[in-house]
Amino acid sequence: MHLAYPAVLAALLFATGLYGVLARRNAILVLMSVELMLNAVNLNLVAFDVWLRDTLHAGQALTLFTIAIAAAEIGIGLAIVLMVYRNRGTSDVDRLRDTAEGHEPGHPDDPTAPTARPEVAA
């Protein structure tokens, strides 16, 4: 088996996932892009395990651990995204920076909040 075919495919998958992480704003699409990157790594692990003819099949064993970690990551990540969506009404990654304490919209320390003018007694 030629090692170049799975390596090029894994590089393309990883590059696609990296583009998805950097360019997307939706948190669900970012999680899907991370999964795509992990699958590219799994493809490399299995390809190099077959190419090296490892008797212990360490690459395939490590791939199983990576799949288990990816499943846990997507479960926890999806739960967090759904909870943020319920609380905020959006899953936009750029707006999630506002979840830090003291930077909530309408908070008195928010520099973009409209300033209240003192009422003049008539």
Side-chain angles (χ1 to χ4, degrees), residues 11-121:
L12 289 173
L13 283 174
F14 193 85
T16 304
L18 186 63
Y19 172 75
V21 167
L22 295 176
R24 298 292 178 184
R25 291 188 179 181
N26 190 347
I28 302 292
L29 293 176
V30 170
L31 287 174
M32 289 173 57
S33 298
V34 170
E35 290 296 318
L36 195 61
M37 292 167 62
L38 286 173
N39 285 333
V41 170
N42 288 340
L43 180 61
N44 269 334
L45 284 172
V46 171
F48 277 98
D49 184 54
V50 170
W51 185 65
L52 293 173
R53 296 187 179 139
D54 187 14
T55 57
L56 295 176
H57 299 292
Q60 294 179 20
L62 190 58
T63 298
L64 289 176
F65 285 116
T66 307
I67 290 171
I69 289 172
E73 174 256 337
I74 198 68
I76 292 172
L78 190 58
I80 290 171
V81 168
L82 287 175
M83 190 59 65
V84 167
Y85 183 77
R86 282 184 187 171
N87 290 336
R88 291 286 189 161
T90 183
S91 62
D92 189 4
V93 176
D94 291 336
R95 292 186 181 197
L96 293 181
R97 283 183 272 160
D98 296 335
T99 60
E101 187 175 333
H103 295 289
E104 298 172 2
H107 193 271
D109 295 336
D110 187 13
T112 62
T115 56
R117 293 184 357 195
E119 298 202 15
V120 179

